[in-house]
Amino acid sequence: MAANYNNSAWFYDRLSRLVYGKALIKAQVYLLRYIPTDTNILIVGGGTGWILEEISVIHPAGLTITYVEVAPAMMALSKKRQTAKNQVSFINQAVEEVLLEPVYDVIITPFLFDNFQEQTLEKVFEHLHQSLKLGGMWLNTDFQLTGKWWQRVLLRSMFLFFKILCNIEASSLPDIDSQYKKHHYQSVSKNTFYGDFIVAEVYKKELALTKI
Ligand SMILES: C[S@@+](CC[C@H](N)C(=O)[O-])C[C@H]1O[C@@H](n2cnc3c(N)ncnc32)[C@H](O)[C@@H]1O
C-alpha cells in the first residue's frame, strides 16, 4: 500500500522545521535557480506545496507546472498556494499510476525517494526518466548517510515515526544516486545541508551511449 501522508499534512511543515530548522527549505530553494525560464516542469511529492510559492518568486510567469501529489490532504493545502501567472495542473494520484508524456524540461523530486523500498524506487525512477526530455534537468533532494552516527539515529527515528503514522514502506534509504548513474545522468551541481545529511543535486539527462 502507498504511503499516506494525510495524517501528517496539518503539522508536517511545522515538524520538519522543528527538527531541521530551515535546512529542508534551503536544500530545495538551492535547486530552484536551475529552472530555466518558460519551461515545462513536473513536481512529484511536493507535500503542502510551499515549493510552488518559492518557484513563483523566482519565476512569476512562463512556467507550465504539473504537480503530482498522492495525499489528498497535502494536495488540498497545495492548491491554496500562490502560483503567480504560472500555469499549474494538479494531479492527486500516485505518480507511477499517472500517464506522463515525455514533455518535461525539469523534474523536481523533493524528499520523495526516501519513502520507497529499492524496488519501488526503480519503478518510479524509470517512469519519471521516460518523461524527461533529453538534456532536461532533474532536481533531487533527499537524505544521505555520510558515516556520522547521529544521521543513522535520526533516520531510523524518522522511518519509525512515518511508518506508524503514514505507513511508508521504507525502513532504510534506497540507493538513489545509483539510479542516476545507471541511467547516465550527468551531475551538474550539488550542495549539502544539515552537516551533510541532506543532499541537493542537479542532474542532466544525457544520451546513453552504448559501447560497440
Ligand atoms: C517526505 S514528504 C516531502 C514533502 C515535501 N516535498 C517537503 O519537502 O516538505 C513526501 C511526499 O511525497 C508524497 N508521495 C509519496 N509517494 C508518492 C507517490 N508515489 N506519488 C506522488 N506523491 C507521493 C507524499 O504524500 C508526501 O507528501
Side-chain angles (χ1 to χ4, degrees):
M1 206 175 90
N4 181 353
Y5 273 83
N6 279 323
N7 303 332
S8 67
W10 64 277
F11 66 82
Y12 185 90
D13 286 348
R14 259 173 294 166
L15 178 68
S16 68
R17 265 153 232 186
L18 194 71
V19 180
Y20 294 106
K22 288 204 167 159
L24 302 189
I25 300 171
K26 280 188 187 159
Q28 292 177 59
V29 168
Y30 162 76
L31 293 172
L32 302 183
R33 70 197 70 182
Y34 293 93
I35 299 178
T37 48
D38 300 321
T39 43
N40 202 2
I41 300 176
L42 173 66
I43 303 174
V44 188
T48 67
W50 59 262
I51 197 168
L52 287 169
E53 294 190 345
E54 294 290 346
I55 289 173
S56 300
V57 170
I58 303 171
H59 294 277
L63 300 179
T64 306
I65 302 173
T66 305
Y67 185 91
V68 184
E69 168 53 60
V70 71
M74 290 291 199
M75 187 54 110
L77 294 170
S78 300
K79 282 184 175 170
K80 291 185 189 152
R81 300 290 182 177
Q82 298 297 325
T83 56
K85 289 188 177 154
N86 296 307
Q87 191 194 315
V88 188
S89 313
F90 293 96
I91 303 179
N92 187 196
Q93 234 177 310
V95 72
E96 56 274 34
E97 291 165 11
V98 180
L99 184 68
L100 298 169
E101 299 295 335
V103 293
Y104 296 101
D105 304 292
V106 179
I107 294 180
I108 307 178
T109 44
F111 299 95
L112 172 74
F113 294 136
D114 59 41
N115 290 283
F116 302 148
Q117 288 177 348
E118 206 66 43
Q119 231 180 344
T120 313
L121 167 68
E122 282 172 23
K123 189 170 117 188
V124 174
F125 193 98
E126 185 64 41
H127 185 54
L128 297 181
H129 170 67
Q130 297 301 337
S131 76
L132 185 62
K133 287 185 199 165
L134 205 57
M137 297 292 186
W138 191 328
L139 316 182
N140 183 62
T141 180
D142 222 310
F143 299 102
Q144 65 171 2
L145 293 169
T146 58
K148 293 168 187 151
W149 67 269
W150 58 266
Q151 295 174 341
R152 289 194 182 275
V153 174
L154 207 48
L155 197 63
R156 214 172 293 154
S157 320
M158 271 191 303
F159 279 131
L160 189 63
F161 180 80
F162 284 107
K163 190 169 280 275
I164 293 168
L165 196 74
C166 307
N167 194 33
I168 64 161
E169 62 176 39
S171 46
S172 60
L173 268 186
D175 191 353
I176 301 167
D177 195 49
S178 286
Q179 289 299 315
Y180 288 102
K181 290 198 171 89
K182 186 176 147 191
H183 289 84
H184 309 282
Y185 279 78
Q186 185 202 335
S187 176
V188 172
S189 175
K190 180 177 172 174
N191 207 349
T192 56
F193 303 83
Y194 207 78
D196 281 2
F197 190 33
I198 294 167
V199 58
E201 191 150 2
V202 181
Y203 297 92
K204 187 175 180 194
K205 184 171 176 176
E206 306 250 290
L207 192 63
L209 296 172
T210 40
K211 286 186 189 141
I212 302 168

